[in-house]
mmCIF file of all heavy atoms in Angstrom:
data_model
loop_
_atom_site.group_PDB
_atom_site.id
_atom_site.type_symbol
_atom_site.label_atom_id
_atom_site.label_comp_id
_atom_site.label_asym_id
_atom_site.label_seq_id
_atom_site.Cartn_x
_atom_site.Cartn_y
_atom_site.Cartn_z
ATOM 1 N N GLY A 78 99.961 119.348 94.000
ATOM 2 C CA GLY A 78 99.472 119.453 92.620
ATOM 3 C C GLY A 78 97.957 119.338 92.510
ATOM 4 O O GLY A 78 97.410 119.370 91.409
ATOM 5 N N LYS A 79 97.277 119.207 93.674
ATOM 6 C CA LYS A 79 95.818 119.105 93.725
ATOM 7 C C LYS A 79 95.303 117.930 92.896
ATOM 8 O O LYS A 79 94.266 117.968 92.249
ATOM 9 C CB LYS A 79 95.141 120.393 93.223
ATOM 10 C CG LYS A 79 95.612 121.667 93.903
ATOM 11 C CD LYS A 79 95.312 121.638 95.394
ATOM 12 C CE LYS A 79 95.735 122.960 96.060
ATOM 13 N NZ LYS A 79 95.573 122.925 97.534
ATOM 14 N N ALA A 80 96.065 116.822 92.936
ATOM 15 C CA ALA A 80 95.721 115.646 92.162
ATOM 16 C C ALA A 80 94.601 114.854 92.833
ATOM 17 O O ALA A 80 94.428 114.859 94.044
ATOM 18 C CB ALA A 80 96.949 114.779 91.957
ATOM 19 N N ASP A 81 93.875 114.098 91.992
ATOM 20 C CA ASP A 81 92.948 113.079 92.447
ATOM 21 C C ASP A 81 93.790 111.796 92.490
ATOM 22 O O ASP A 81 94.075 111.189 91.457
ATOM 23 C CB ASP A 81 91.792 112.967 91.484
ATOM 24 C CG ASP A 81 90.783 111.851 91.831
ATOM 25 O OD1 ASP A 81 91.130 110.978 92.648
ATOM 26 O OD2 ASP A 81 89.690 111.874 91.281
ATOM 27 N N TRP A 82 94.212 111.385 93.690
ATOM 28 C CA TRP A 82 95.175 110.282 93.754
ATOM 29 C C TRP A 82 94.756 109.245 94.779
ATOM 30 O O TRP A 82 93.980 109.504 95.695
ATOM 31 C CB TRP A 82 96.585 110.781 94.080
ATOM 32 C CG TRP A 82 96.731 111.429 95.458
ATOM 33 C CD1 TRP A 82 96.562 112.722 95.804
ATOM 34 C CD2 TRP A 82 97.065 110.738 96.678
ATOM 35 N NE1 TRP A 82 96.781 112.950 97.142
ATOM 36 C CE2 TRP A 82 97.088 111.745 97.717
ATOM 37 C CE3 TRP A 82 97.357 109.442 97.023
ATOM 38 C CZ2 TRP A 82 97.403 111.443 99.054
ATOM 39 C CZ3 TRP A 82 97.666 109.129 98.338
ATOM 40 C CH2 TRP A 82 97.696 110.136 99.329
ATOM 41 N N GLN A 83 95.302 108.063 94.622
ATOM 42 C CA GLN A 83 95.146 106.961 95.607
ATOM 43 C C GLN A 83 96.342 106.038 95.502
ATOM 44 O O GLN A 83 96.939 105.879 94.462
ATOM 45 C CB GLN A 83 93.855 106.240 95.399
ATOM 46 C CG GLN A 83 93.668 105.602 94.035
ATOM 47 C CD GLN A 83 92.247 105.157 93.800
ATOM 48 O OE1 GLN A 83 91.628 104.519 94.614
ATOM 49 N NE2 GLN A 83 91.710 105.478 92.635
ATOM 50 N N ILE A 84 96.647 105.422 96.643
ATOM 51 C CA ILE A 84 97.725 104.418 96.706
ATOM 52 C C ILE A 84 97.208 103.116 97.292
ATOM 53 O O ILE A 84 96.578 103.131 98.347
ATOM 54 C CB ILE A 84 98.906 104.946 97.554
ATOM 55 C CG1 ILE A 84 99.534 106.192 96.966
ATOM 56 C CG2 ILE A 84 99.974 103.851 97.715
ATOM 57 C CD1 ILE A 84 100.650 106.803 97.799
ATOM 58 N N TYR A 85 97.443 102.025 96.567
ATOM 59 C CA TYR A 85 97.234 100.703 97.128
ATOM 60 C C TYR A 85 98.591 100.116 97.491
ATOM 61 O O TYR A 85 99.523 100.152 96.658
ATOM 62 C CB TYR A 85 96.534 99.767 96.116
ATOM 63 C CG TYR A 85 95.091 100.042 95.847
ATOM 64 C CD1 TYR A 85 94.672 100.457 94.587
ATOM 65 C CD2 TYR A 85 94.146 99.936 96.879
ATOM 66 C CE1 TYR A 85 93.346 100.716 94.335
ATOM 67 C CE2 TYR A 85 92.804 100.178 96.617
ATOM 68 C CZ TYR A 85 92.408 100.578 95.355
ATOM 69 O OH TYR A 85 91.090 100.831 95.109
ATOM 70 N N THR A 86 98.702 99.609 98.697
ATOM 71 C CA THR A 86 99.951 98.969 99.132
ATOM 72 C C THR A 86 99.707 97.501 99.346
ATOM 73 O O THR A 86 98.762 97.110 100.052
ATOM 74 C CB THR A 86 100.473 99.612 100.431
ATOM 75 O OG1 THR A 86 100.642 101.025 100.225
ATOM 76 C CG2 THR A 86 101.816 99.009 100.856
ATOM 77 N N TYR A 87 100.531 96.655 98.746
ATOM 78 C CA TYR A 87 100.317 95.227 98.739
ATOM 79 C C TYR A 87 101.272 94.515 99.707
ATOM 80 O O TYR A 87 102.479 94.588 99.558
ATOM 81 C CB TYR A 87 100.498 94.683 97.327
ATOM 82 C CG TYR A 87 99.498 95.323 96.387
ATOM 83 C CD1 TYR A 87 99.859 96.487 95.685
ATOM 84 C CD2 TYR A 87 98.214 94.843 96.242
ATOM 85 C CE1 TYR A 87 98.948 97.128 94.831
ATOM 86 C CE2 TYR A 87 97.297 95.482 95.418
ATOM 87 C CZ TYR A 87 97.646 96.632 94.713
ATOM 88 O OH TYR A 87 96.755 97.255 93.908
ATOM 89 N N ALA A 88 100.699 93.850 100.712
ATOM 90 C CA ALA A 88 101.451 93.223 101.776
ATOM 91 C C ALA A 88 102.334 92.081 101.255
ATOM 92 O O ALA A 88 101.999 91.396 100.299
ATOM 93 C CB ALA A 88 100.516 92.711 102.843
ATOM 94 N N TYR A 89 103.478 91.900 101.922
ATOM 95 C CA TYR A 89 104.378 90.776 101.645
ATOM 96 C C TYR A 89 104.787 90.738 100.167
ATOM 97 O O TYR A 89 105.017 89.678 99.603
ATOM 98 C CB TYR A 89 103.741 89.452 102.031
ATOM 99 C CG TYR A 89 103.098 89.488 103.412
ATOM 100 C CD1 TYR A 89 101.720 89.444 103.581
ATOM 101 C CD2 TYR A 89 103.902 89.619 104.562
ATOM 102 C CE1 TYR A 89 101.139 89.494 104.828
ATOM 103 C CE2 TYR A 89 103.322 89.693 105.820
ATOM 104 C CZ TYR A 89 101.947 89.637 105.970
ATOM 105 O OH TYR A 89 101.370 89.706 107.196
ATOM 106 N N SER A 90 104.905 91.895 99.554
ATOM 107 C CA SER A 90 105.228 91.950 98.151
ATOM 108 C C SER A 90 106.496 92.760 97.928
ATOM 109 O O SER A 90 106.650 93.867 98.445
ATOM 110 C CB SER A 90 104.080 92.620 97.381
ATOM 111 O OG SER A 90 102.901 91.863 97.473
ATOM 112 N N LYS A 91 107.400 92.174 97.113
ATOM 113 C CA LYS A 91 108.631 92.837 96.737
ATOM 114 C C LYS A 91 108.451 93.522 95.387
ATOM 115 O O LYS A 91 107.352 93.513 94.834
ATOM 116 C CB LYS A 91 109.773 91.854 96.761
ATOM 117 C CG LYS A 91 110.062 91.308 98.141
ATOM 118 C CD LYS A 91 111.258 90.357 98.152
ATOM 119 C CE LYS A 91 111.527 89.833 99.558
ATOM 120 N NZ LYS A 91 112.683 88.894 99.575
ATOM 121 N N HIS A 92 109.538 94.059 94.852
ATOM 122 C CA HIS A 92 109.468 94.986 93.740
ATOM 123 C C HIS A 92 108.606 94.518 92.563
ATOM 124 O O HIS A 92 107.577 95.111 92.267
ATOM 125 C CB HIS A 92 110.867 95.355 93.248
ATOM 126 C CG HIS A 92 110.915 96.290 92.083
ATOM 127 N ND1 HIS A 92 110.235 97.499 92.114
ATOM 128 C CD2 HIS A 92 111.496 96.174 90.887
ATOM 129 C CE1 HIS A 92 110.444 98.114 90.946
ATOM 130 N NE2 HIS A 92 111.180 97.327 90.178
ATOM 131 N N THR A 93 108.993 93.429 91.900
ATOM 132 C CA THR A 93 108.297 93.011 90.686
ATOM 133 C C THR A 93 107.220 91.968 90.979
ATOM 134 O O THR A 93 107.148 90.911 90.363
ATOM 135 C CB THR A 93 109.315 92.466 89.630
ATOM 136 O OG1 THR A 93 110.171 91.525 90.265
ATOM 137 C CG2 THR A 93 110.151 93.605 89.087
ATOM 138 N N PHE A 94 106.354 92.287 91.926
ATOM 139 C CA PHE A 94 105.400 91.287 92.441
ATOM 140 C C PHE A 94 104.330 90.898 91.436
ATOM 141 O O PHE A 94 103.656 89.868 91.596
ATOM 142 C CB PHE A 94 104.743 91.809 93.730
ATOM 143 C CG PHE A 94 103.693 92.882 93.532
ATOM 144 C CD1 PHE A 94 102.345 92.566 93.670
ATOM 145 C CD2 PHE A 94 104.015 94.195 93.198
ATOM 146 C CE1 PHE A 94 101.335 93.526 93.486
ATOM 147 C CE2 PHE A 94 103.045 95.147 93.034
ATOM 148 C CZ PHE A 94 101.712 94.822 93.171
ATOM 149 N N THR A 95 104.136 91.685 90.367
ATOM 150 C CA THR A 95 103.098 91.368 89.387
ATOM 151 C C THR A 95 103.615 90.532 88.211
ATOM 152 O O THR A 95 102.823 90.114 87.373
ATOM 153 C CB THR A 95 102.487 92.656 88.832
ATOM 154 O OG1 THR A 95 103.505 93.401 88.153
ATOM 155 C CG2 THR A 95 101.849 93.519 89.933
ATOM 156 N N ASN A 96 104.897 90.296 88.159
ATOM 157 C CA ASN A 96 105.487 89.625 87.003
ATOM 158 C C ASN A 96 105.690 88.119 87.252
ATOM 159 O O ASN A 96 106.485 87.756 88.072
ATOM 160 C CB ASN A 96 106.856 90.259 86.690
ATOM 161 C CG ASN A 96 107.427 89.771 85.376
ATOM 162 O OD1 ASN A 96 106.994 88.748 84.832
ATOM 163 N ND2 ASN A 96 108.385 90.480 84.816
ATOM 164 N N PRO A 97 104.950 87.287 86.543
ATOM 165 C CA PRO A 97 105.037 85.811 86.763
ATOM 166 C C PRO A 97 106.432 85.264 86.525
ATOM 167 O O PRO A 97 106.753 84.186 87.040
ATOM 168 C CB PRO A 97 104.052 85.237 85.782
ATOM 169 C CG PRO A 97 103.084 86.352 85.501
ATOM 170 C CD PRO A 97 103.908 87.593 85.550
ATOM 171 N N GLU A 98 107.291 85.963 85.789
ATOM 172 C CA GLU A 98 108.629 85.493 85.514
ATOM 173 C C GLU A 98 109.632 85.933 86.572
ATOM 174 O O GLU A 98 110.802 85.561 86.483
ATOM 175 C CB GLU A 98 109.056 86.000 84.128
ATOM 176 C CG GLU A 98 108.217 85.487 82.998
ATOM 177 C CD GLU A 98 108.610 86.012 81.621
ATOM 178 O OE1 GLU A 98 109.634 86.770 81.584
ATOM 179 O OE2 GLU A 98 107.962 85.708 80.618
ATOM 180 N N SER A 99 109.166 86.686 87.565
ATOM 181 C CA SER A 99 110.083 87.202 88.599
ATOM 182 C C SER A 99 110.049 86.338 89.836
ATOM 183 O O SER A 99 109.018 85.792 90.203
ATOM 184 C CB SER A 99 109.681 88.640 88.950
ATOM 185 O OG SER A 99 110.372 89.077 90.103
ATOM 186 N N LYS A 100 111.180 86.273 90.531
ATOM 187 C CA LYS A 100 111.218 85.571 91.826
ATOM 188 C C LYS A 100 110.379 86.314 92.876
ATOM 189 O O LYS A 100 110.028 85.744 93.905
ATOM 190 C CB LYS A 100 112.640 85.442 92.306
ATOM 191 C CG LYS A 100 113.404 86.743 92.520
ATOM 192 C CD LYS A 100 114.820 86.525 92.960
ATOM 193 C CE LYS A 100 115.591 87.817 93.105
ATOM 194 N NZ LYS A 100 115.003 88.801 94.020
ATOM 195 N N ASP A 101 110.036 87.571 92.606
ATOM 196 C CA ASP A 101 109.218 88.346 93.529
ATOM 197 C C ASP A 101 107.724 88.163 93.304
ATOM 198 O O ASP A 101 106.911 88.735 94.034
ATOM 199 C CB ASP A 101 109.529 89.844 93.358
ATOM 200 C CG ASP A 101 110.935 90.240 93.784
ATOM 201 O OD1 ASP A 101 111.560 89.438 94.492
ATOM 202 O OD2 ASP A 101 111.384 91.327 93.401
ATOM 203 N N TYR A 102 107.346 87.349 92.345
ATOM 204 C CA TYR A 102 105.966 87.213 91.964
ATOM 205 C C TYR A 102 105.090 86.754 93.137
ATOM 206 O O TYR A 102 105.397 85.778 93.825
ATOM 207 C CB TYR A 102 105.823 86.208 90.851
ATOM 208 C CG TYR A 102 104.426 86.016 90.310
ATOM 209 C CD1 TYR A 102 103.639 87.091 89.896
ATOM 210 C CD2 TYR A 102 103.860 84.723 90.219
ATOM 211 C CE1 TYR A 102 102.363 86.911 89.394
ATOM 212 C CE2 TYR A 102 102.607 84.542 89.711
ATOM 213 C CZ TYR A 102 101.837 85.626 89.300
ATOM 214 O OH TYR A 102 100.572 85.442 88.815
ATOM 215 N N ASN A 103 104.027 87.515 93.370
ATOM 216 C CA ASN A 103 103.056 87.194 94.410
ATOM 217 C C ASN A 103 101.679 87.072 93.743
ATOM 218 O O ASN A 103 101.025 88.084 93.471
ATOM 219 C CB ASN A 103 103.022 88.297 95.476
ATOM 220 C CG ASN A 103 102.092 88.010 96.647
ATOM 221 O OD1 ASN A 103 101.058 87.377 96.473
ATOM 222 N ND2 ASN A 103 102.453 88.477 97.821
ATOM 223 N N PRO A 104 101.249 85.845 93.401
ATOM 224 C CA PRO A 104 100.059 85.686 92.566
ATOM 225 C C PRO A 104 98.789 86.258 93.197
ATOM 226 O O PRO A 104 97.950 86.775 92.459
ATOM 227 C CB PRO A 104 99.954 84.164 92.369
ATOM 228 C CG PRO A 104 100.784 83.570 93.474
ATOM 229 C CD PRO A 104 101.886 84.562 93.723
ATOM 230 N N VAL A 105 98.644 86.161 94.493
ATOM 231 C CA VAL A 105 97.448 86.693 95.144
ATOM 232 C C VAL A 105 97.400 88.222 94.999
ATOM 233 O O VAL A 105 96.375 88.800 94.585
ATOM 234 C CB VAL A 105 97.392 86.275 96.647
ATOM 235 C CG1 VAL A 105 96.253 86.979 97.342
ATOM 236 C CG2 VAL A 105 97.249 84.773 96.766
ATOM 237 N N MET A 106 98.501 88.853 95.350
ATOM 238 C CA MET A 106 98.566 90.323 95.267
ATOM 239 C C MET A 106 98.563 90.822 93.836
ATOM 240 O O MET A 106 98.001 91.865 93.527
ATOM 241 C CB MET A 106 99.745 90.853 96.038
ATOM 242 C CG MET A 106 99.700 90.570 97.516
ATOM 243 S SD MET A 106 98.251 91.327 98.301
ATOM 244 C CE MET A 106 98.403 90.665 99.978
ATOM 245 N N ALA A 107 99.169 90.061 92.932
ATOM 246 C CA ALA A 107 99.145 90.424 91.516
ATOM 247 C C ALA A 107 97.758 90.416 90.965
ATOM 248 O O ALA A 107 97.356 91.329 90.214
ATOM 249 C CB ALA A 107 100.035 89.485 90.716
ATOM 250 N N LYS A 108 96.954 89.426 91.342
ATOM 251 C CA LYS A 108 95.562 89.383 90.892
ATOM 252 C C LYS A 108 94.778 90.550 91.428
ATOM 253 O O LYS A 108 93.979 91.180 90.712
ATOM 254 C CB LYS A 108 94.929 88.054 91.344
ATOM 255 C CG LYS A 108 93.508 87.876 90.883
ATOM 256 C CD LYS A 108 92.957 86.523 91.327
ATOM 257 C CE LYS A 108 91.497 86.354 90.829
ATOM 258 N NZ LYS A 108 90.937 85.041 91.276
ATOM 259 N N ARG A 109 95.005 90.894 92.675
ATOM 260 C CA ARG A 109 94.308 92.035 93.277
ATOM 261 C C ARG A 109 94.705 93.322 92.574
ATOM 262 O O ARG A 109 93.867 94.203 92.296
ATOM 263 C CB ARG A 109 94.593 92.119 94.767
ATOM 264 C CG ARG A 109 93.999 91.038 95.601
ATOM 265 C CD ARG A 109 94.351 91.186 97.078
ATOM 266 N NE ARG A 109 93.874 90.010 97.827
ATOM 267 C CZ ARG A 109 94.149 89.788 99.095
ATOM 268 N NH1 ARG A 109 94.889 90.660 99.762
ATOM 269 N NH2 ARG A 109 93.669 88.736 99.717
ATOM 270 N N ALA A 110 96.000 93.471 92.306
ATOM 271 C CA ALA A 110 96.470 94.674 91.627
ATOM 272 C C ALA A 110 95.830 94.826 90.258
ATOM 273 O O ALA A 110 95.475 95.932 89.856
ATOM 274 C CB ALA A 110 98.003 94.650 91.525
#
């Protein structure tokens, strides 16, 4: 599609890593994201 794209991949992080209410929450990676 000739997109201007980028991917950040967050180590040791499961699906809902940005959600403080989730068991998957990773505060360090959530802050970076």
Side-chain angles (χ1 to χ4, degrees):
K79 306 299 182 185
D81 177 345
W82 65 270
Q83 57 193 313
I84 297 177
Y85 287 117
T86 302
Y87 300 92
Y89 313 111
S90 297
K91 296 182 179 180
H92 179 53
T93 49
F94 76 105
T95 62
N96 189 342
E98 297 178 3
S99 169
K100 60 181 177 58
D101 294 343
Y102 182 54
N103 183 327
V105 172
M106 296 300 175
K108 182 178 180 180
R109 291 179 186 174

